[in-house]
């Protein structure tokens, strides 16, 4: 029985002898590697926070002292120390542990966050609530790292936190040297210790209070002393940004030295106000394949060989197709520049960066800045392509609306991981984009069904003038090519049929719709299948085509509310076409994590499910028409 097996909650970690902690850390790393090797997940970040998380749970009393991880993928060790180590074989599996904090799993997971740069704001609110309610002895702890401090929201929070000197709030900056490198210089540990000592604060207050009582010279003398202190500090080390905000700072601390970590955290806790604790960690610590992985220190690998760290070959993905085509476009058009928000490798822009190093901008976790900076680039005569995960576009909606679309700028946004993504859970499903983008004036939006169409539509998007364009595509292996059998306007006809049912297949739903059409045919129901390619604006040719059919069915990998189905229905209403429209898509709820095919089956987005639903709808429609041939009912 290992020492980790004895940990049923944080109280067991607090009671543990300090001499046993290195063994505990080693067992945690062993379990991290063996579990993630089977399930995939965020390995490198968690290997780097093993000692830090142990120290946090020894100094603070979770959940009375809420520990908030930003981003949430750093919480694996926290899960182990709060009684979930025995379930790690189920990580990211259906019905198993989430790859992010989950309130459904434990009272120790206070927030469910995977969109970065939010924890400081949560902590600010919690600490203010503790103070207002008189809940003394409680401290809010925010662990921010893996690039999260590059997000503007984090600095908005810091600005507000600094204004309240009484907040019981500890901010741990997990600086792993990869995503975030704060410009704080090399402050000496003894200076940090001095500034954190309560006796020092008391002495300074005493001197200030009593010198002020000395006639004539008191106040000027204090100001001179304060100026001397600041000057000495500036000689020994640069004035740091956190102190310029008025925040107490301690560090840098070796994030793999348990004794130093505990000492620093206890000192910060004892201060009684907001404190920054700067911790230096190594991403991938303790597992050589991760430590030596140049790209991202095994930030988020799929399943791999735990001995060698080798991952099996991955199928050609939608991201790969985009990556190849943007490089080709870059060669043809020197005005194309690319922007990423701390996702150079995940969104496929690394080859573009290698080919055109002067035309790539990684802005950190700052999607808002990315879009408005793209607006400026477009104003300057360039053609920016902003590559994001679909789920993160939500954070930059205002900028896309008011800074890009309002100025009718030709900014291209590509949305990877659109629709159901699966393993990463509710926060990563890209199910909102086709709904929120419908309301943006002058915006064009495309949804390719296969690799050929992705290349084709990306090229068309880059050529659009006078407004922004969006190209969205799913996660995973790219779909096999689906050739068109005809053309109606700009729409591709994938299957021709008699005027029974018109299936409007949006992007990756093309294959599902063709499967449904084949099953419908076996039931004597003929279906036409079209791929609109551009789902905003819809081609006017859709109106007379719909009028030729008895039922229009729109299938989309997006939330049903406000998506393409609603746009089609509105288009037909405006044209006084009375053909009924049914929309099939993602239900408007937060989906549990599971594999994409499993989720699609659960929500009814399979050929068989669609065929059954459509057959029943046609039967109901036929029954109504038989009872009321004139269509008066």
């Amino acid at each position: 029985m290992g020492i980790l097996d004895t940990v049923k909650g944080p109280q067991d970690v607090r009671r543990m002898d300090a001499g046993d902690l290195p063994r505990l850390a080693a067992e945690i790393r062993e379990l991290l590697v063996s579990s993630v090797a089977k399930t995939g997940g965020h390995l490198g970040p968690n290997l780097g926070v093993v000692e830090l998380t142990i120290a946090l749970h020894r100094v603070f009393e979770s959940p009375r002292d809420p520990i908030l991880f930003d981003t949430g993928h750093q919480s694996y060790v926290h899960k182990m120390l709060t009684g979930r180590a025995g379930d790690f074989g189920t990580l990211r599996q259906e019905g198993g542990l989430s790859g992010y904090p989950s309130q459904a799993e434990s009272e120790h997971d206070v927030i469910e966050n995977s969109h970065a740069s939010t924890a400081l704001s949560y902590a600010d609110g919690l600490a203010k609530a503790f103070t207002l309610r008189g809940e003394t002895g409680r401290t809010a702890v925010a662990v921010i790292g893996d690039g999260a401090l590059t997000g503007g929201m984090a600095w908005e929070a810091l600005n507000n936190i600094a204004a309240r000197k009484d907040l019981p709030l500890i901010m741990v900056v997990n600086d792993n040297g990869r995503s975030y490198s704060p410009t704080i210089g090399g402050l000496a540990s003894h200076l940090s210790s001095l500034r954190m000592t309560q006796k020092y604060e008391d002495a300074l207050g005493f001197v200030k209070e009593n010198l002020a009582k000395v006639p004539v010279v008191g106040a000027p003398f204090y100001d001179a002393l304060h100026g001397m202190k600041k000057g000495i500090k500036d000689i020994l080390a640069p004035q740091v940004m956190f102190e310029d905000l008025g925040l107490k700072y301690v560090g840098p601390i070796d994030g793999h030295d348990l004794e130093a970590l505990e000492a620093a955290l206890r000192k910060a806790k004892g201060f009684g106000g907001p404190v920054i604790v700067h911790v230096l960690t190594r991403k991938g610590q303790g597992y050589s394949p991760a430590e030596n992985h140049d790209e991202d220190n095994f930030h988020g690998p799929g399943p791999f060989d735990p001995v060698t760290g080798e991952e099996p070959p991955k199928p050609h993905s939608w991201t790969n197709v985009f990556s190849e085509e943007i490089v080709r476009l870059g060669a043809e058009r020197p005005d194309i520049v690319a922007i990423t928000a701390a996702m150079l490798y995940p969104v496929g822009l690394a080859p573009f960066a290698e080919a055109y190093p002067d035309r790539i901008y990684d802005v950190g976790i700052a999607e808002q800045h990315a879009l408005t900076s793209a607006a400026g680039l477009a104003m300057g005569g360039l053609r920016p392509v902003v590559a994001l995960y679909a789920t993160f576009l939500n954070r930059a909606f205002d900028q896309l609306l008011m800074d890009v679309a309002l100025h009718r700028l030709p900014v291209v946004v590509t949305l990877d991981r659109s629709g159901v993504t699966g393993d990463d859970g509710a926060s990563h499903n890209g199910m909102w984009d086709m709904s929120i983008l419908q309301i943006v004036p002058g915006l064009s939006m495309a949804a390719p069904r296969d690799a050929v169409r992705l290349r084709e539509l990306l090229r068309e998007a880059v050529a659009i003038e006078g407004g922004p364009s969006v190209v969205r595509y799913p996660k995973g292996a790219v779909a096999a090519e689906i050739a068109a059998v005809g053309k109606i306007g700009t729409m591709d006809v994938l299957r021709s049929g008699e005027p029974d049912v018109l299936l409007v297949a949006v992007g990756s739903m093309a294959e599902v719709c063709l499967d449904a059409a084949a099953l419908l045919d076996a039931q004597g129901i003929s279906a036409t299948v079209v791929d609109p390619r551009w789902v905003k604006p819809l081609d006017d040719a859709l109106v007379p085509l719909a009028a030729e059919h008895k039922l229009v069915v729109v299938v989309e990998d997006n939330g049903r509310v406000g998506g393409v189905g609603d746009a089609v229905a509105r288009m037909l209403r405006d044209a006084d076409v009375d053909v009924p429209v049914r929309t099939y898509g993602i239900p408007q709820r937060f989906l549990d994590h599971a594999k994409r095919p499993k989720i699609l089956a659960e929500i009814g987005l399979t050929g068989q499910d669609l065929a059954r639903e459509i057959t029943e709808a046609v039967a109901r429609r036929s029954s109504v028409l038989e009872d009321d041939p004139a269509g008066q009912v």
Side-chain angles (χ1 to χ4, degrees), residues 29 32-33 42-51 74 146 174-178 256 281-293 296-301 304:
R29 285 194 168 91
L32 282 171
V33 172
H42 290 94
L43 180 61
N46 287 285
L47 289 170
V49 298
V50 173
E51 288 82 8
Q74 300 176 94
D146 245 28
N174 171 30
D175 179 4
N176 58 29
R178 295 288 299 192
H256 303 295
T281 64
R282 185 179 184 186
K283 202 167 182 175
Q285 173 75 13
Y287 180 54
S288 58
E291 291 177 350
N292 299 320
H293 190 252
D296 64 3
N297 294 117
F298 272 36
H299 176 83
F304 61 91

Side-chain angles (χ1 to χ4, degrees), residues 128-315:
K128 286 173 178 172
F130 298 159
T131 302
L132 193 61
R133 291 167 59 90
E135 297 181 20
T136 58
R138 299 191 70 182
T139 303
V141 184
V143 183
I144 183 165
D146 245 28
L149 205 50
T150 62
M153 185 176 172
W155 291 93
E156 293 174 20
L158 282 169
N159 184 54
N160 282 272
I161 290 166
R164 290 287 302 269
K165 306 302 181 186
D166 61 336
L167 283 184
L169 199 166
I170 307 298
M171 295 158 282
V172 179
V173 176
N174 171 30
D175 179 4
N176 58 29
R178 295 288 299 192
S179 300
Y180 168 62
S181 298
T183 52
I184 56 172
L187 280 178
S189 297
H190 70 275
L191 273 181
S192 299
S193 179
L194 177 64
R195 288 197 304 276
M196 290 304 305
T197 301
Q198 190 60 49
K199 289 182 179 178
Y200 169 76
E201 297 294 325
D202 294 341
L204 192 64
F206 175 84
V207 171
K208 180 176 181 179
E209 180 181 354
N210 286 280
L211 275 177
K213 298 175 182 177
V214 180
V216 184
V217 299
F221 185 50
Y222 175 80
D223 289 342
L225 284 176
H226 183 76
M228 286 175 61
K229 185 194 82 159
K230 185 176 185 301
I232 291 170
K233 217 164 53 172
D234 287 343
I235 291 170
L236 293 172
Q239 179 72 10
V240 297
M241 67 176 76
F242 299 122
E243 290 185 328
D244 286 343
L245 282 171
L247 293 166
K248 290 296 176 184
Y249 168 92
V250 59
I253 307 298
D254 181 349
H256 303 295
D257 183 332
L258 275 160
E259 186 177 351
L261 284 167
E262 278 198 48
L265 291 171
R266 291 189 190 282
K267 193 172 294 184
K269 182 180 180 181
F271 177 71
V275 181
I276 291 274
V277 180
H278 179 199
V279 177
L280 301 177
T281 64
R282 185 179 184 186
K283 202 167 182 175
Q285 173 75 13
Y287 180 54
S288 58
E291 291 177 350
N292 299 320
H293 190 252
D294 292 335
E295 183 177 311
D296 64 3
N297 294 117
F298 272 36
H299 176 83
F304 61 91
D305 184 327
V307 177
T308 65
E310 293 291 326
E311 294 184 63
K314 295 180 180 178

Side-chain angles (χ1 to χ4, degrees), residues 362-376:
D362 187 342
V363 300
I365 302 178
E367 290 85 0
Q368 292 171 297
H369 170 70
L371 265 296
T372 305
S373 178

Side-chain angles (χ1 to χ4, degrees), residues 449-470:
R449 66 180 180 269
D450 56 26
V452 174
R453 256 46 62 174
L454 174 51
R455 295 188 182 97
E456 181 180 277
L457 290 166
L458 182 61
R459 286 180 170 273
E460 292 179 23
V462 168
I464 290 175
E465 302 286 350
S469 57
V470 173

Side-chain angles (χ1 to χ4, degrees), residues 282-540:
R282 185 179 184 186
K283 202 167 182 175
Q285 173 75 13
Y287 180 54
S288 58
E291 291 177 350
N292 299 320
H293 190 252
D294 292 335
E295 183 177 311
D296 64 3
N297 294 117
F298 272 36
H299 176 83
F304 61 91
D305 184 327
V307 177
T308 65
E310 293 291 326
E311 294 184 63
K314 295 180 180 178
H316 203 59
S317 70
W318 291 90
T319 306
N320 295 143
V321 176
F322 162 74
S323 181
E324 295 159 359
E325 195 62 23
I326 194 66
V327 171
R328 293 191 192 101
L329 283 166
E332 298 168 18
R333 294 190 53 162
D335 62 336
I336 288 180
V337 294
I339 302 174
T340 175
M343 290 283 189
L344 186 69
Y345 288 94
V347 298
L349 281 179
F352 185 93
E354 185 176 348
Y356 318 109
D358 296 333
R359 292 154 58 187
I360 184 78
Y361 304 99
D362 187 342
V363 300
I365 302 178
E367 290 85 0
Q368 292 171 297
H369 170 70
L371 265 296
T372 305
S373 178
L377 286 162
M379 288 176 179
L382 298 174
R383 188 55 52 97
V385 176
V386 183
L388 305 172
Y389 279 9
T391 183
F392 297 134
L393 176 68
N394 308 354
R395 302 166 71 96
F397 174 75
D398 183 68
Q399 287 68 31
L400 181 58
L401 178 68
M402 293 299 177
D403 302 338
V404 177
L406 178 65
H407 294 95
R408 298 175 295 282
L409 294 169
V411 172
V412 179
V413 180
T414 61
L415 299 180
D416 201 334
R417 273 76 163 173
S418 67
V420 172
T421 56
D423 295 342
D424 281 325
S427 61
H428 270 54
N429 289 314
M431 58 179 283
W432 323 104
D433 55 293
M434 288 200 292
S435 297
I436 63 176
L437 293 177
Q438 286 290 341
I439 69 173
V440 179
L443 179 140
S444 302
M445 179 166 44
R449 66 180 180 269
D450 56 26
V452 174
R453 256 46 62 174
L454 174 51
R455 295 188 182 97
E456 181 180 277
L457 290 166
L458 182 61
R459 286 180 170 273
E460 292 179 23
V462 168
I464 290 175
E465 302 286 350
S469 57
V470 173
V471 181
R472 52 116 62 188
Y473 43 91
K475 178 182 179 181
V478 69
E481 182 179 353
I482 301 173
V485 298
K487 201 88 171 174
I488 299 178
T490 60
M491 299 182 294
D492 284 344
V493 180
L494 307 184
R495 179 184 172 117
S496 296
E498 298 298 324
D500 283 334
V501 177
L502 173 63
L503 275 168
V504 180
V506 177
S508 62
M509 293 290 99
E511 186 177 359
V512 173
C513 287
L514 287 172
D515 289 345
L519 292 169
L520 288 170
D521 193 55
Q523 298 295 320
I525 300 171
S526 181
T528 302
V529 181
V530 296
D531 171 10
R533 298 174 67 256
W534 289 95
V535 296
K536 183 183 186 303
L538 290 163
D539 194 313
D540 290 339

